[in-house]
Amino acid sequence: MTLGSLLLVGSSLVWAPMGRAGTDRHEGGFLCTGSSRSHYDPPLTLEPRSTRVHADVTYTSCAVGPGRTVPATGSFDGVSPAAACLTLSGGRGEETVQYADGRRSLIVYDSATILRAAGVLALVQTGRVTEGRGKGHPARRTVTGPTRELSTGCLTSGLREGGNAVQLEVLP
């Protein structure tokens, strides 16, 4: 319930009206929602350290035009400068999104903000679409999940992976 409330609040604050979809020249904004499975190298422990993050993303719905939605898959690679089991830090990264209609987007994220509320962490990354659908438009990627509690993995060999909800907005 708390995660759903944070997602609703977050999406209400950051949602932008969709523009016209179509050719790259006149393309407006769009919204994708889904989930991701992240992999951490080195694994997350109690001690913050620079960590490479790879995430496989499944966007179950991308509203790419008025009344038009398509699913998509994404691949995110980035570096978190100080990641640990109990904390999260943002960093730079790059995501390739492949849409079911055959189009794709390459998005480069250059900044991130961490939000904490009611036991939920939200990482909000901002950047720009550099290739494909939405080229030239600003992008915002919001990754949310429960605050990580100490697990056996964190206390021993480290947490190697985790799952989160993801929202991608390409703004008009």
Side-chain angles (χ1 to χ4, degrees):
M1 182 67 162
T2 303
L3 178 58
S5 300
L6 181 64
L7 286 173
L8 180 61
V9 169
S11 64
S12 299
L13 293 174
V14 297
W15 184 82
M18 287 182 31
R20 295 179 309 184
T23 65
D24 285 339
R25 265 182 317 154
H26 301 291
E27 205 163 66
F30 56 92
L31 175 71
C32 298
T33 57
S35 61
S36 70
R37 192 78 188 157
S38 299
H39 306 275
Y40 311 109
D41 183 25
L44 301 180
T45 62
L46 294 177
E47 194 67 32
R49 60 185 169 180
S50 181
T51 304
R52 286 183 301 283
V53 178
H54 171 81
D56 296 308
V57 185
T58 301
Y59 292 111
T60 53
S61 177
C62 291
V64 295
R68 184 163 178 252
T69 61
V70 296
T73 58
S75 179
F76 173 84
D77 288 290
V79 174
S80 179
C85 283
L86 298 176
T87 61
L88 182 64
S89 67
R92 297 176 186 269
E94 188 173 283
E95 181 178 20
T96 301
V97 180
Q98 183 67 48
Y99 306 92
D101 64 4
R103 299 204 42 208
R104 66 183 282 278
S105 297
L106 177 63
I107 305 164
V108 175
Y109 301 101
D110 52 18
S111 68
T113 304
I114 306 300
L115 305 171
R116 285 184 172 84
V120 176
L121 282 176
L123 170 65
V124 181
Q125 298 173 297
T126 57
R128 185 161 294 283
V129 180
T130 60
E131 294 178 22
R133 176 176 268 144
K135 181 179 180 178
H137 290 267
R140 181 172 34 226
R141 181 177 190 261
T142 304
V143 181
T144 56
T147 302
R148 287 185 171 79
E149 296 178 13
L150 283 179
S151 69
T152 305
C154 287
L155 298 173
T156 57
S157 61
L159 185 64
R160 296 184 184 284
E161 61 182 39
N164 297 293
V166 179
Q167 177 175 290
L168 169 63
E169 297 169 276
V170 175
L171 306 170

